[in-house]
Amino acid sequence: MTLTLLSGMLVVVILVGLPAARADGIGSDADVHVAQSLGGRELTVTVRRVGPVLGPLHVDVVTHRGDALGTLQLTALADGATTSSGQVTLGTPGIYSTTLNIDRAGPWELVVDDGHTAARIPFLVPAQVIPPWKKASDYGFFAAGALLILSLAAALRGRRNWMALVPATGMIVALTVAVTGATLSAYSPPPLQPGHDIDPTPENIRDPYARVAANSQNPVDYSRPPVNMAVSAGQSTLRVNLTDSSTGRPADDLLIHHGALIHLIVVSPAGTMSHVHPVRVAPGRFEAKFDTTERGTYAMTAEIARRGGGMQLLRGSVDAKSPAAPPAAAPPSQGEITATVAPAGSPSTIRAKFGDTPDLQPWLGMVGHMMVVGPLPAGPDIGKHALTAPVWSHAHAMVPPAPGAAGGQPDESVARYGPEIDFTYSFALPGRYKIWVQTERDYAILTAPTEVEVSQP
């Protein structure tokens, strides 16, 4: 009777099942999207499905309208791993692909080389990690099944019933361990994620649960100080150096934030806005093509997200000593902006319209981007005034959720949004503001500028 009841319990547990175990927190099975302003090109590099299963790695490169043609050399590098290379030859705007080979888990770099500059994009290949409670659950169910067979055999062949109680008792213990492990796997939090919460060292990647055990004895503070930024320009190249404000060492732990390692917003002396994504050329060092054709101050702000440090907005500037020349003509607007401006502190509505057809594409994961700088006084050197402006904002128009669509960054090749993009924004202070709205159509980045005057509340 006892063996029959235990057999029934085991069959019910196996057939009905227990709550599914949570993911191991490694951030596997996800695409890595990162924008790169490489030379004269605005690229989107996508590393497809970086998961714990090793093998071919599919890489897509999106080239935008106006980008220079040419061949890019793509190379996957890691310490102690076999180097794998491939090429993409850029032509008309669109998506170009190649396949690389990955032979081990750990931190990797994808080097994108155009023959002049080599961008180094860090990405993580997680290991196949089994949580300790999952191991306990699997081994417990296996042991319970084996002991059940032994109990039945002892009961059928033995003359003394107590002989069957020994494996039956062991089966009960194994089943208890298995059920406890399965329950813990459903309700226990995942460990810290290497590459996101903690540094992607080989030890953290291979066994992130060891870090959990260590922290239970000696808790570790993973917060990090702010980053310092120094910028310089020369020979058509803008150089951005990021250092840890505490140690002075290169800050090389940036997270991909809204599809880029760095979003650099530059306002020229004439008031033209550029939205570029400097490429990582070495730890803490980034570069972008940058022509200082206007005399005066180029103000800029860099948006970054640091592992353990959160988001930061960094200010910087470069002074161009170009020969005196007539003010540069503003580029033509590629859209129309209408604004219903409320007094400072109240919500205003900014609507940008790009053409008449709903064929806008997501850029950097968003349908639209709005940059706001101000309040700005009257004066010829707008970049100089923008440098000390109290407000620099970067707002987004999200991609509308599609029924049944999977999560993750929207596909840049899908052109079905717009043509109107709406923003709700509250200006903090009265005064004159510069506004730029950006979107993408037919793989071309479109920009529409305007100015608004915000009244006193």
Side-chain angles (χ1 to χ4, degrees):
M1 184 68 179
T2 302
L3 291 175
T4 303
L5 179 60
L6 291 173
S7 302
M9 289 173 57
L10 183 60
V11 171
V12 169
V13 169
I14 294 175
L15 292 180
V16 175
L18 290 163
R22 289 186 179 182
D24 56 19
I26 300 298
S28 60
D29 198 30
D31 294 346
V32 176
H33 302 261
V34 57
Q36 299 281 276
S37 298
L38 180 62
R41 305 176 176 94
E42 183 62 34
L43 306 174
T44 303
V45 179
T46 302
V47 183
R48 295 289 181 188
R49 298 293 177 191
V50 182
V53 179
L54 303 180
L57 185 72
H58 191 78
V59 180
D60 291 338
V61 178
V62 179
T63 181
H64 297 86
R65 191 166 299 280
D67 288 354
L69 305 181
T71 299
L72 301 179
Q73 182 78 18
L74 274 63
T75 305
L77 302 172
D79 290 339
T82 303
T83 300
S84 178
S85 298
Q87 287 186 341
V88 293
T89 301
L90 305 180
T92 58
I95 302 176
Y96 297 84
S97 303
T98 190
T99 301
L100 307 176
N101 292 319
I102 299 297
D103 61 2
R104 67 180 58 196
W108 285 72
E109 284 187 349
L110 176 65
V111 181
V112 183
D113 191 345
D114 66 353
H116 301 283
T117 303
R120 310 180 74 91
I121 303 172
F123 69 96
L124 176 65
V125 178
Q128 187 73 48
V129 178
I130 301 176
W133 40 83
K134 181 67 166 54
K135 293 180 182 179
S137 176
D138 292 344
Y139 293 152
F141 279 124
F142 177 81
L147 291 171
L148 173 61
I149 296 174
L150 291 176
S151 299
L152 293 174
L156 292 174
R157 303 185 66 177
R159 295 182 178 180
R160 298 181 181 133
N161 291 333
W162 65 266
M163 294 180 62
L165 293 178
V166 176
T169 303
M171 183 190 68
I172 294 174
V173 173
L175 189 59
T176 302
V177 171
V179 173
T180 303
T183 303
L184 287 175
S185 68
Y187 297 102
S188 297
L192 299 174
Q193 296 183 23
H196 189 275
D197 301 314
I198 55 178
D199 292 326
T201 62
E203 293 77 13
N204 289 338
I205 294 170
R206 284 194 297 265
D207 190 5
Y209 295 95
R211 184 69 76 167
V212 175
N215 286 355
S216 64
Q217 301 296 327
N218 300 297
V220 177
D221 182 7
Y222 292 105
S223 62
R224 292 182 177 172
V227 169
N228 290 330
M229 180 178 74
V231 294
S232 60
Q235 297 182 348
S236 301
T237 300
L238 180 70
R239 296 179 179 86
V240 180
N241 291 325
L242 303 180
T243 55
D244 185 283
S245 62
S246 176
T247 64
R249 297 174 180 174
D252 196 37
D253 51 6
L254 301 191
L255 302 175
I256 296 176
H257 168 65
H258 291 311
L261 291 169
I262 297 181
H263 295 270
L264 190 69
I265 310 301
V266 183
V267 177
S268 75
T272 301
M273 186 276 298
S274 300
H275 183 177
V276 297
H277 305 97
V279 300
R280 176 179 173 270
V281 296
R285 289 176 48 202
F286 296 79
E287 291 183 0
K289 181 178 173 60
F290 188 73
D291 292 321
T292 54
T293 56
E294 303 172 18
R295 187 179 182 88
T297 301
Y298 287 78
M300 58 193 69
T301 181
E303 300 174 26
I304 66 168
R306 189 183 188 190
R307 187 182 311 124
M311 287 182 54
Q312 284 187 250
L313 209 61
L314 306 171
R315 295 276 189 103
S317 67
V318 294
D319 291 325
K321 306 300 183 181
S322 302
S333 177
Q334 296 164 306
E336 301 176 359
I337 296 181
T338 57
T340 303
V341 182
S346 298
S348 298
T349 300
I350 292 91
R351 168 170 290 183
K353 184 178 181 182
F354 295 87
D356 299 312
T357 55
D359 58 356
L360 301 180
Q361 299 163 266
W363 183 47
L364 306 173
M366 309 292 170
V367 173
H369 301 256
M370 183 176 71
M371 274 62 74
V372 179
V373 177
L376 297 171
D381 194 341
I382 297 177
K384 182 178 181 180
H385 297 314
L387 179 62
T388 57
V391 175
W392 283 67
S393 293
H394 182 176
H396 294 129
M398 307 292 288
V399 174
Q409 183 155 317
D411 190 344
E412 192 171 349
S413 65
V414 176
R416 65 182 182 191
Y417 306 103
E420 295 177 336
I421 305 174
D422 291 335
F423 298 88
T424 300
Y425 184 83
S426 296
F427 295 93
L429 300 169
R432 181 173 68 103
Y433 289 82
K434 283 276 192 180
I435 297 176
W436 301 267
V437 175
Q438 290 188 306
T439 188
E440 181 179 353
R441 172 185 283 124
D442 193 21
Y443 295 105
I445 310 303
L446 309 178
T447 303
T450 192
E451 288 187 10
V452 298
E453 190 73 30
V454 179
S455 62
Q456 290 278 358

